[in-house]
Amino acid sequence: MNVKDIATCVIQFFAADFWFELFAQPVAVEKQNAYRHMDMEARLLAIGGQEAYQQIRILKQSGIKTEPAFAEYFHIPGDDPYEALFQLEPLTEQELRQKVQLLMNR
């Protein structure tokens, strides 16, 4: 499969009562979409703290995939939660905190 014209391998499996998805592209790790999402999610969790972690985990256990769970919890707008996370990527930590505060207070 191709994602944005990059050859991509996606493997999904269920183990230990949890769905896993492995996403790989033949580009430097830090430029792969999966890594970029994981980095963005770590930034959001640093802001949201333990409460965000617990609530997102509950959403994931109910069957919601990771990016949609983050978008739901943090009220990130957009039809595509995968792309919505990329829109937050260039923000500084201060800008991201302000954005999250605005989104969460809607």
Side-chain angles (χ1 to χ4, degrees):
M1 105 179 349
N2 283 319
V3 174
K4 294 189 177 183
D5 296 323
I6 300 172
T8 304
C9 182
V10 178
I11 300 168
Q12 298 175 333
F13 61 94
F14 188 78
D17 296 327
F18 199 75
W19 274 104
F20 291 88
E21 181 173 277
L22 305 177
F23 182 101
Q25 296 174 313
V27 296
V29 171
E30 63 276 359
K31 294 184 181 187
Q32 290 186 26
N33 289 347
Y35 180 89
R36 292 170 58 207
H37 277 150
M38 187 175 65
D39 184 57
M40 194 66 240
E41 292 156 4
R43 291 175 65 195
L44 288 168
L45 285 175
I47 293 167
Q50 190 64 25
E51 174 69 18
Y53 172 82
Q54 290 173 341
Q55 292 304 313
I56 290 168
R57 189 161 172 86
I58 290 168
L59 290 169
K60 288 178 54 75
Q61 288 171 340
S62 75
I64 298 174
K65 289 189 171 194
T66 303
E67 289 79 0
F70 271 81
E72 183 174 326
Y73 178 80
F74 286 103
H75 307 282
I76 300 169
D79 295 331
D80 184 347
Y82 299 90
E83 285 299 318
L85 285 181
F86 288 142
Q87 298 302 312
L88 299 174
E89 194 175 27
L91 298 177
T92 66
E93 294 310 305
Q94 182 178 352
E95 291 169 335
L96 183 59
R97 284 183 182 280
Q98 290 171 342
K99 179 79 169 181
V100 165
Q101 198 170 39
L102 285 172
L103 291 171
M104 298 293 287
N105 289 326
R106 284 186 170 179

